[in-house]
Amino acid sequence: HVARTAGGRDKPIEFWGEVKLRNRQQLEVVEEISLRMLGVARPCGDEERKEMGEFGHLKSIDLAGNLLSSWEDVLDTLRQFENLQSVSLASNRINDLSPASMEGLSMTKITNLNLNSTNISSFQTIQLIGEAMPNLEELCVAHCDLSDVDDIISDQDPPLQNLVLLDLSDCKLTSWEEQVLPFHNLPKLESLILNDNAIDFITVPKDDATMFPKLASLQLAGTSISSWSAMDELNNIPTLRSLRLRNTPLTSSLGVGEVRSTAIARHPHLEFFNASPISERERTEAERRYVSNVARELLMVSSSTILSTADRSSRNDEKAGEDEGGIEQAQINARHPRFQTLLEKHKETMVSSSGSSGSSYQGNIGDDVIGLTIRSMAASSCDMEPLRKRIPTSLKVSRIKAMCARAFGL
């Protein structure tokens, strides 16, 4: 059986009868248990420990939202379950670890650990956890203060060498180079979540195979990134396939469609953007639109250069005008490093065969995008600000109607 979700996707559903449910309710087959928000504040006493032997086979325990405040109590609790693989301690008032409390401690079976919204305020705690749990594959420490990561982490390989997913959302990080790049040599890291950190620029050394060798997914929602040139640095991570980017200074002044189209065109390796897959057709359209926009910008510079040169010709200052135009064109090309590559890729389909040979950007290359201002005349939304969009001329009227319905709540 399949159900259709609100997002239009199919969700498989399996029907279980009484017998199947009863089999799953047997204590000896239960491997996961949730004790969320039950007021757990300390481990059980000596008398109850004997009864806890019946739960020694548990592989996952969720203790999120309880009253645990001491690592000694937490570790004492975890020691009672020898087969644990996944532990959630999110939203407990747990403070930082001391090196003495971790001496001789080894929990090699734990692979998933959730420490979101705890009172951790030093990356040293993460290092100690990594040493005690060397096989961790997923670590979540969102909403903790790890701003001292650049002071704690050494030039040597950091702990957590088996990490596949690392969530550092809202961890008071402000510098990509000093606080994020130290994780570049985690050999198995595939997913890095950096949402809601005040990171404003990205730098990734080019042609360095040690830079995030397996990173496939990166989330930058809610960061302070304000330029596409910062995002272009991610092209130096050839394994990157999924990117999340929203609620940033860069995207705040652009429409959702424009952000998506530009990101797709500027990042040739992406397969997902904001959790939505990128089809071949969408990539082709995005790249052509991008080429058209940059070509129009270059044509405007060329036109202004011609007018400026003509104006200065009477003063014998033609060369100065040409130099200024050449500098502006060079700056545009520097801001759009993929333009020439995409122009070569799509010029056969975008430039008419009868185009003039005087300019590489003539023809119909920039004619498929128009600016549109739409004002609602409906009584419920006539006082709303008009909707201003740049859309391709090939966009169907039905798509425009749907866009207006969403914008004006019709």
Side-chain angles (χ1 to χ4, degrees), residues 256-293:
V256 175
E258 186 175 359
V259 171
R260 181 177 176 85
S261 176
T262 305
I264 292 172
R266 298 183 79 116
H267 298 89
H269 305 301
L270 285 186
E271 297 176 1
F272 293 84
F273 184 74
N274 285 343
S276 178
I278 302 169
S279 65
E280 284 297 324
R281 179 177 179 179
E282 183 181 18
R283 175 166 292 282
T284 299
E285 292 178 352
E287 290 177 349
R288 290 178 181 175
R289 189 175 303 123
Y290 176 76
V291 171
S292 298
N293 292 339

Side-chain angles (χ1 to χ4, degrees), residues 1 13-25:
H1 297 273
I13 296 178
E14 183 178 357
F15 290 97
W16 281 41
E18 179 185 358
V19 176
K20 285 187 176 181
L21 287 175
R22 190 176 298 167
N23 290 336
R24 295 285 292 184
Q25 291 173 336

